[in-house]
Amino acid sequence: MPQLLQLDSSANRQTSVTRELTRLFADTWRRRGPDYTVVERDLHRDPVPHLADAELHYAPRLRVSGVAVDPAAEAVQTELIAEVAAADVVVIGAPMYNWSLPSTLKAWIDHVHVLGTTVPFDTPDQPFAGTPVVVISSRGLAYGPGDPDEGLDHTVPPLQQVLGTSLGMDVTVVTAEYTLASRIPALAPMTERSTASLDAARERVQRLAHDLGA
């Protein structure tokens, strides 16, 4: 059965744009048929712990001789890696927090990015290679070409590097811009652009959820 892994990291449980869009993706995925299943992991409601030991960055065979890691911590890592391995498609809600990633999402990345297990090191293996992953990011301003804050997006590029370049996944990015236009008076002139950006993101999310995967 085609399986979607849905990851959310927003601390906003009520009006989060990324939560709305990941939910829309998952709902569209389910409408493709009864065999289309969803595994949900909410990284804010049920946070992944910070990496307990630096040796967990490495496959067991690559760890420092004589150093033992906490079996419970290793079990968490194994579970998270298995969820990605089982997924036909992954969708990640990645709002911009202080020009960067939510710490909950970073903790998840640190668990699944493992040299010699999910990332090439002493072997060329990339077990997640080719798996489609849709990164859905929201931001209060805009950071694209020609925008005043161009180049200050430190949310999407790290995810493209880790998920795409290192893990070999097939990364697609969907962004919703000026999401604070209705909340911050100074951004009110950007309300029209905010609405258009969100409408475009909704349309693209539904199209991707319909087309990607088995």
Side-chain angles (χ1 to χ4, degrees):
M1 295 191 296
Q3 183 166 291
L4 170 70
L5 174 60
Q6 176 188 346
L7 299 171
D8 286 297
S9 62
S10 173
N12 182 349
R13 302 186 186 188
Q14 286 76 41
T15 59
S16 163
V17 170
T18 59
R19 286 183 182 274
E20 175 196 333
L21 293 173
T22 58
R23 183 168 57 250
L24 178 60
F25 191 107
D27 289 345
T28 305
W29 175 269
R30 289 187 181 98
R31 284 196 292 270
R32 293 173 66 174
D35 291 339
Y36 284 78
T37 61
V38 179
V39 172
E40 300 179 25
R41 181 172 285 276
D42 192 320
L43 298 170
H44 181 74
R45 289 188 173 95
D46 186 18
V48 173
H50 289 293
L51 207 64
D53 191 312
E55 290 304 311
L56 289 171
H57 283 300
Y58 301 90
R61 68 182 181 278
L62 301 176
R63 293 173 189 164
V64 173
S65 178
V67 174
V69 302
D70 180 1
E74 189 166 30
V76 170
Q77 184 176 64
T78 299
E79 178 184 357
L80 296 174
I81 291 173
E83 285 182 347
V84 181
D88 294 283
V89 177
V90 180
V91 61
I92 301 175
M96 177 182 285
Y97 279 12
N98 300 314
W99 296 277
S100 187
L101 305 175
S103 61
T104 51
L105 180 55
K106 181 60 166 63
W108 178 84
I109 289 171
D110 289 342
H111 279 79
V112 302
H113 187 276
V114 184
L115 295 172
T117 298
T118 60
V119 180
F121 191 77
D122 56 339
T123 72
D125 298 340
Q126 279 183 313
F128 302 159
T131 300
V133 54
V134 179
V135 174
I136 299 176
S137 189
S138 64
R139 57 279 317 280
L141 298 176
Y143 299 87
D147 289 313
D149 292 299
E150 179 182 355
L152 295 181
D153 176 5
H154 304 295
T155 303
V156 170
L159 291 171
Q160 291 174 314
Q161 176 68 28
V162 171
L163 300 172
T165 304
S166 195
L167 293 172
M169 302 176 80
D170 184 5
V171 182
T172 301
V173 178
V174 178
T175 58
E177 300 177 330
Y178 286 110
T179 57
L180 297 178
S182 62
R183 181 168 183 170
I184 298 178
L187 294 178
M190 308 308 298
T191 298
E192 185 175 343
R193 182 169 170 180
S194 172
T195 300
S197 178
L198 183 54
D199 286 345
R202 288 172 177 144
E203 180 180 350
R204 192 167 185 219
V205 159
Q206 291 179 86
R207 185 169 64 250
L208 288 167
H210 185 270
D211 293 344
L212 291 176

